[in-house]
Amino acid sequence: MSHLRYTIKRLLQAIPVLIGITSITFLLINAMPGSPVEVMLGPTASEELIAAAEERYGFNQPIHVRYVKYILAALGGDLGRSIHYGVPVTTKILERLPVTLLLLASSFAFALSVAIPLGIVSARRRNQPVDHGSRVVSLIGVSTPNFWIGLLLIIVFGYHLQVLPSNGLVMPLTPISEVEGATSRLDVLVQTVRSLIMPTIALGTLQMAAVSRIERSSMLEVLGRDYINLARAFGVKESVITRKHAFRNAQLPVVTIIGLQLTSALGGAVLTETVFNINGMGRLIIQAVRTQDYALIMGTTLFFGVMFVIGTLLTDLTYAYLDPRVTYEGED
Amino acid sequence: MAAETEETEDQEYESRVGASYMLSRLLQDTTARISLILIAIISGMALFAFVDAEFLDYRLAETYLYHPLRNNAGTRPLLPPVGLSNQFGDGVLAHPLGTDTRGRDIAVRLLYGSRIAIQIALVSTTIGVVVGTTVGAVSGYYGGWIDDVLMRFVEILYSIPFLVLVIAFMAAFGRELIYAMIGVSIISIPIFARLIRSEVLSIREETYVEAAQAAGVKDRNILLRHVIPNSFAPVVVQTTLQMGTNILIVAGLSFLGFGAQPPTPSWGQMLSIARNYMLPAPWFSVWPGLAILITVMAFNILGDGLRDTLDPRLEN
């Protein structure tokens, strides 16, 4: 019951945030030079034509009226039409969203599966060569631009060794006939995995490094607590202590960091998708800005915002699950 | 700040809060020392490039090095760096890192690119610290509806993916450097606001703040003289780390074409050019990335070192 109430409360709290995101984006878009109609009709259009089109699309109305109209339409699932693509924004987003979600999921899976063991080993063997090595790796990881990692991977594995594709991302559900050289679903899946490897590493390295740093310091802190020393005094094996007593308690700061990493991962997706020519949300938003596709910019930003809100919500719920002491009542 | 309190308070004990104490502890750490030297060198390069580009119209570069914006009298484009097989044979040592697609010396362009990285990161981090600290301190100290309103706003800024936020901002106002600075500083504000707020929340409960309130000290003075200086340490650490983060963001923006516009060199923009020549000139993609990596790493190491020095809880 309390889980449900907490979730609802968090969802309600997300509303002002979403309103804020949309209004900031709306204001920014309206501050852009040139009106969407001018972009749509091109530089040669006559004044009358522009005025008529503005009238037709409602761009001559005051900004707050347009904002409210936009929000009401958005609530009904209508985000307007993309000027550049000539299709509804929702159609375009739904086409691109799975690509970015797959990329994000795979890079977080990579990051966590490397970072958590790395951080734990590092903490258990503090100041030993393993620890130094893993700290250097994570330091480099948090200091390297992800698009550069992408470029280097392409140079080495794409061009030099020619073992991995450096362009695009094959979605697992792509029709078999559309995938080059594929004769079965399995071939398509193999292609998916192959095309995911490099973007995953490029995008996930920062997350991996950030999480392993936190995992290490958090484990170190927990492993130094009294109850752990007590367990040691009782002769409990170190591996059992790590697994049974320290691990879960050390994960709280890690979960927080993972939640915070979500925004940087969304931003990183923009760069990674550009480097690997992947047609996901990130590239879509850049294209939208370049072509001044107003409705598309609004729609994609809104979606990014929603993804972030869902992400933080999941973080909070995980937090509560991991730490039974976290209460849902009487917060704030 | 610290020196002031030292003078007025008991001087018999060795101060463990002063800036000089901090610095001496920090310098005991070899990696921190190396990172400080690196940062000094890079900042020196950036300052040199800034002065030469802004005030001397690249006269220093032309006299002693190469002009970073122009081809140097018939130099071959994409000349490989020293050490790689060089079938062209000319000017190898003159262009240690090779030349770019227009025959411009890459080393010189890297040097002038450092200016963009440091300049934007410095300005935006400073704005972030100042505005963020103010917002966070006011929010945490007063609490109530002020806190609610300010923190909701901070949360909104926090929720928009930063790259998207800056790109939208620059699309609206322009792709000039100044907008990149403002855009990146908007990203930094919520980070400092949250940090300071949580510090202030605990400091607010301290007895000395209560004493100051009882003595009738104005809120503004309590904030400026007691609360903010006492939350100084985490801000210093975060500022250093944020410099690194902001350099990464600036590089990403330039890579996407939002930042310093050609021909002005920036590291991210050099990478976006190099990207089109990965097959014939792979080394071209290496240098700018390496420059970013070294600079950001220096700030990260310094930040870690500062945290160890300033946070006694981590001592041992």
Side-chain angles (χ1 to χ4, degrees):
Chain A
M1 185 59 204
S2 63
H3 264 88
L4 184 68
R5 268 181 63 185
Y6 180 70
T7 312
I8 292 171
K9 190 179 150 205
R10 285 299 324 239
L11 281 174
L12 289 176
Q13 276 177 349
I15 292 173
V17 173
L18 285 176
I19 291 177
I21 292 174
T22 49
S23 47
I24 288 179
T25 320
F26 207 77
L27 281 171
L28 280 177
I29 290 174
N30 276 282
M32 280 190 192
S35 84
V37 173
E38 278 170 46
V39 177
M40 191 161 53
L41 298 176
T44 51
S46 67
E47 299 265 322
E48 297 87 61
L49 199 64
I50 290 175
E54 282 191 342
E55 173 100 37
R56 192 172 142 220
Y57 290 101
F59 283 115
N60 52 353
Q61 288 166 330
I63 181 167
H64 59 272
V65 177
R66 276 185 287 143
Y67 178 70
V68 172
K69 276 191 175 169
Y70 179 84
I71 293 295
L72 289 179
L75 286 176
D78 177 16
L79 295 175
R81 281 182 86 83
S82 155
I83 300 171
H84 183 69
Y85 292 99
V87 293
V89 169
T90 37
T91 314
K92 203 70 204 168
I93 288 178
L94 289 179
E95 177 191 314
R96 298 290 188 94
L97 190 63
V99 178
T100 302
L101 287 181
L102 178 66
L103 183 59
L104 283 176
S106 111
S107 64
F108 269 94
F110 159 73
L112 295 182
S113 59
V114 176
I116 292 179
L118 201 65
I120 293 173
V121 169
S122 212
R124 278 188 55 186
R125 298 179 194 274
R126 192 183 183 187
N127 290 333
Q128 288 175 26
V130 185
D131 183 26
H132 292 310
S134 96
R135 287 175 77 183
V136 169
V137 168
S138 32
L139 182 66
I140 294 176
V142 290
S143 311
T144 317
N146 64 10
F147 53 97
W148 188 54
I149 300 178
L151 292 180
L152 294 184
L153 289 173
I154 291 177
I155 289 174
V156 176
F157 297 100
Y159 289 167
H160 195 68
L161 301 175
Q162 300 200 337
V163 285
L164 290 172
S166 54
N167 246 331
L169 180 61
V170 179
M171 290 301 283
L173 295 180
T174 320
I176 297 168
S177 56
E178 283 176 26
V179 181
E180 217 184 291
T183 48
S184 65
R185 183 53 56 195
L186 189 68
D187 287 349
V188 177
L189 288 179
V190 170
Q191 290 290 335
T192 305
V193 173
R194 276 166 51 88
S195 61
L196 254 179
I197 294 175
M198 292 202 289
T200 298
I201 296 173
L203 182 57
T205 301
L206 175 70
Q207 274 65 253
M208 184 268 283
V211 173
S212 87
R213 278 157 72 102
I214 292 294
E215 180 74 48
R216 176 182 180 273
S217 62
S218 179
M219 276 304 278
L220 270 181
E221 205 203 314
V222 173
L223 285 174
R225 294 232 179 104
D226 288 344
Y227 75 91
I228 298 286
N229 281 331
L230 185 70
R232 284 200 188 109
F234 273 104
V236 182
K237 265 197 254 161
E238 200 65 21
S239 59
V240 177
I241 290 180
T242 311
R243 206 175 52 240
K244 282 192 79 178
H245 303 286
F247 180 72
R248 191 161 146 166
N249 285 326
Q251 296 318 299
L252 295 176
V254 180
V255 171
T256 315
I257 282 295
I258 295 171
L260 292 178
Q261 283 298 319
L262 194 70
T263 22
S264 73
L266 288 173
V270 176
L271 289 160
T272 311
E273 287 174 9
T274 306
V275 170
F276 290 97
N277 292 326
I278 294 170
N279 284 324
M281 290 281 286
R283 262 188 114 196
L284 187 66
I285 204 163
I286 295 288
Q287 265 159 354
V289 169
R290 289 221 171 107
T291 52
Q292 296 210 1
D293 199 334
Y294 294 74
L296 197 55
I297 302 176
M298 272 306 288
T300 39
T301 320
L302 186 62
F303 249 83
F304 268 117
V306 171
M307 276 162 79
F308 178 78
V309 169
I310 295 174
T312 30
L313 185 68
L314 286 179
T315 314
D316 284 358
L317 290 176
T318 318
Y319 208 99
Y321 164 77
L322 277 174
D323 189 356
R325 287 168 303 178
V326 172
T327 51
Y328 305 107
E329 315 295 331
E331 292 287 323
D332 296 355
Chain B
M1 264 170 289
E4 215 175 293
T5 46
E6 265 171 57
E7 273 168 33
T8 51
E9 279 167 23
D10 204 342
Q11 285 195 324
E12 274 178 30
Y13 303 99
E14 184 210 9
S15 163
R16 296 198 65 175
V17 290
S20 54
Y21 169 76
M22 263 161 51
L23 197 66
S24 68
R25 284 239 14 215
L26 184 71
L27 290 179
Q28 284 165 16
D29 184 2
T30 319
T31 42
R33 221 165 36 220
I34 295 171
S35 70
L36 260 181
I37 294 170
L38 266 177
I39 291 172
I41 293 173
I42 296 162
S43 310
M45 281 164 50
L47 188 67
F48 170 83
F50 176 74
V51 172
D52 194 29
E54 293 286 314
F55 305 111
L56 301 172
D57 197 25
Y58 297 108
R59 236 172 294 152
L60 286 177
E62 229 164 354
T63 320
Y64 300 105
L65 304 160
Y66 297 101
H67 199 293
L69 312 186
R70 288 193 221 123
N71 184 352
N72 315 290
T75 313
R76 276 198 78 102
L78 291 181
L79 188 72
V82 171
L84 286 187
S85 61
N86 182 353
Q87 64 269 47
F88 313 120
D90 50 353
V92 184
L93 282 171
H95 303 288
L97 302 184
T99 58
D100 73 357
T101 46
R102 295 194 182 168
R104 296 173 295 198
D105 185 78
I106 290 179
V108 169
R109 281 179 68 77
L110 283 181
L111 169 70
Y112 281 78
S114 69
R115 169 208 156 191
I116 302 294
I118 298 290
Q119 193 185 347
I120 303 185
L122 193 65
V123 172
S124 52
T125 311
T126 311
I127 299 177
V129 172
V130 173
V131 179
T133 306
T134 315
V135 170
V138 168
S139 190
Y141 185 77
Y142 288 101
W145 67 269
I146 299 181
D147 186 30
D148 279 344
V149 171
L150 286 177
M151 279 302 118
R152 234 356 72 91
F153 192 69
V154 162
E155 201 179 324
I156 291 164
L157 285 185
Y158 215 73
S159 316
I160 309 180
F162 52 76
L163 214 54
V164 175
L165 181 72
V166 187
I167 288 171
F169 184 79
M170 291 182 78
F173 292 99
R175 294 190 181 188
E176 289 88 45
L177 276 186
I178 176 81
Y179 299 112
M181 289 180 200
I182 300 174
V184 179
S185 59
I186 294 176
I187 302 168
S188 317
I189 290 171
I191 294 164
F192 288 99
R194 287 184 152 200
L195 180 70
I196 281 285
R197 180 177 172 271
S198 66
E199 287 291 316
V200 168
L201 282 181
S202 63
I203 293 170
R204 197 177 57 176
E205 307 300 326
E206 298 280 345
T207 343
Y208 61 84
V209 172
E210 226 172 279
Q213 280 168 336
V217 181
K218 278 189 204 139
D219 280 345
R220 194 176 64 102
N221 287 342
I222 294 180
L223 269 179
L224 284 178
R225 308 198 115 217
H226 301 288
V227 176
I228 292 181
N230 276 300
S231 39
F232 184 64
V235 173
V236 171
V237 174
Q238 187 57 45
T239 306
T240 317
L241 296 174
Q242 196 63 34
M243 275 294 289
T245 311
N246 285 354
I247 291 173
L248 279 181
I249 297 172
V250 170
L253 283 171
S254 307
F255 182 72
L256 293 170
F258 298 87
Q261 295 302 306
T264 310
S266 74
W267 293 339
Q269 177 212 93
M270 287 173 79
L271 277 175
S272 82
I273 301 172
R275 188 185 162 215
N276 301 319
Y277 299 89
M278 283 191 288
L279 207 50
W283 40 266
F284 187 12
S285 297
V286 173
W287 306 126
L290 212 53
I292 301 168
L293 169 62
I294 292 171
T295 312
V296 176
M297 197 150 75
F299 279 106
N300 280 336
I301 294 174
L302 184 65
D304 286 352
L306 278 170
R307 177 162 33 211
D308 294 345
T309 315
L310 294 175
D311 196 340
R313 279 169 297 184
L314 293 173
E315 224 173 305
N316 68 50

